[in-house]
Amino acid sequence: MAFLQWVEQLSYSTWLRESPSLLAFPLFLFVHTLGMALVAGGSAVISFALLGMWPNSPLRPLEKLFPVLWFGFWINLFTGVSIFMKDASAYGRNTDLYVKLVFVAAGLWLMTEIRKKVFGDPNLDTRPVQHRDKVLAWASIFCWFCAIVSGRLIAYVGPVPGL
């Protein structure tokens, strides 16, 4: 707990928490939302395509989305750690944060598995999508949905920053 209190007393954490500027917490929260849209939304596009919602179109071009997904993740890593730092002692005791992190980790693992196993298959566009690939797609949708919901609950459940 002493470490978390030290983190939130850093000048960067104090600036993010107390600055009236729109370039502080509001901007970080907005950019975190954009990163989430890239990684979770892009993963959903790929998953829905694997589930047949991209009819009569090749799936291979969707592989170009993976760098965008990783870009969204790196944005969220930076903004998420920054947001955590502003109220580290409250966030560090919030179970929902850890639930979110588990689902994010699972979503990232599924993202890499889909790229490796699905898009690594040279027959991707020459045969129907395999059942295994559809299971990965459903699991990915589930993980990103749960990560988003648990992330939103951080503000309302458990130790809430500022109270």
Side-chain angles (χ1 to χ4, degrees):
M1 193 55 144
F3 174 73
L4 295 177
Q5 290 172 338
W6 174 78
V7 166
E8 72 181 38
Q9 295 308 315
L10 294 171
S11 58
Y12 178 72
S13 305
T14 302
W15 168 77
L16 195 59
R17 180 178 58 251
E18 297 177 8
S19 175
S21 172
L22 291 176
L23 298 178
F25 180 67
L27 179 65
F28 278 68
L29 197 58
F30 174 72
V31 173
H32 194 71
T33 304
L34 289 179
M36 176 180 53
L38 290 175
V39 71
S43 291
V45 166
I46 291 168
S47 294
F48 287 139
L50 292 174
L51 294 171
M53 296 178 195
W54 188 275
N56 304 319
S57 297
L59 296 170
R60 180 73 57 202
L62 292 176
E63 189 171 15
K64 293 178 183 175
L65 285 176
F66 284 98
V68 175
L69 303 182
W70 282 109
F71 179 68
F73 167 73
W74 291 112
I75 287 172
N76 275 8
L77 182 63
F78 174 73
T79 57
V81 168
S82 297
I83 292 167
F84 174 87
M85 289 175 64
K86 77 175 191 61
D87 287 301
S89 61
Y91 288 133
R93 294 179 290 125
N94 192 318
T95 306
D96 289 319
L97 172 69
Y98 300 103
V99 171
K100 172 188 176 176
L101 293 177
V102 166
F103 282 114
V104 168
L108 291 172
W109 178 79
L110 287 162
M111 194 169 79
T112 59
E113 287 297 297
I114 288 171
R115 184 162 195 188
K116 183 172 45 175
K117 292 183 177 170
V118 178
F119 288 90
D121 182 355
N123 298 316
L124 175 63
D125 288 328
T126 61
R127 58 163 174 67
V129 176
Q130 302 291 313
H131 176 71
R132 169 202 70 177
D133 301 343
K134 290 182 179 186
V135 170
L136 289 172
W138 278 115
S140 178
I141 292 167
F142 176 77
C143 284
W144 290 118
F145 175 81
C146 290
I148 291 168
V149 170
S150 58
R152 285 307 309 137
L153 288 176
I154 292 169
Y156 306 108
V157 179
V160 177
L163 294 180

